Amino acid sequence: RPLDGFERPALGELHDGEDLVVRTRGSDLRMFGSLRASKTCLQCHSVPRGTLLGAFSYQFQRRSAKTDRPAEDRPPT
């Protein structure tokens, strides 16, 4: 899939040596992390150890614990 507006610049940071890029905006938390060649990767990949092979992307949203619980778990009002 194409990278989004957060991931495109974060990928540049991973190429520059960062292992994890974290940004927050309001209640959103975005993370973009590196998947680098380790010793076991070198058995199949002909690259130097530490080479960026891929990345993972997560997006979290903070929510109020009070409003996130199912109605049957909420205290009576």
Side-chain angles (χ1 to χ4, degrees):
R1 69 170 175 78
L3 298 177
D4 65 24
F6 162 71
E7 296 166 333
R8 273 188 300 281
L11 181 60
E13 294 183 48
L14 298 186
H15 277 294
D16 289 342
E18 291 294 329
D19 284 320
L20 183 65
V21 178
V22 179
R23 300 283 187 270
T24 59
R25 184 188 311 167
S27 63
D28 290 338
L29 172 68
R30 298 287 309 265
M31 300 170 70
F32 198 64
S34 65
L35 299 172
R36 298 192 183 275
S38 66
K39 184 178 178 182
T40 57
C41 300
L42 304 181
Q43 296 172 11
C44 298
H45 296 275
S46 301
V47 297
R49 190 172 183 169
T51 299
L52 184 64
L53 297 178
F56 61 88
S57 184
Y58 287 102
Q59 180 173 358
F60 300 96
Q61 290 183 328
R62 289 186 207 131
R63 295 183 182 170
S64 165
K66 185 177 180 179
T67 59
D68 269 357
R69 293 187 295 187
E72 61 272 9
D73 291 342
R74 291 186 201 146
T77 54

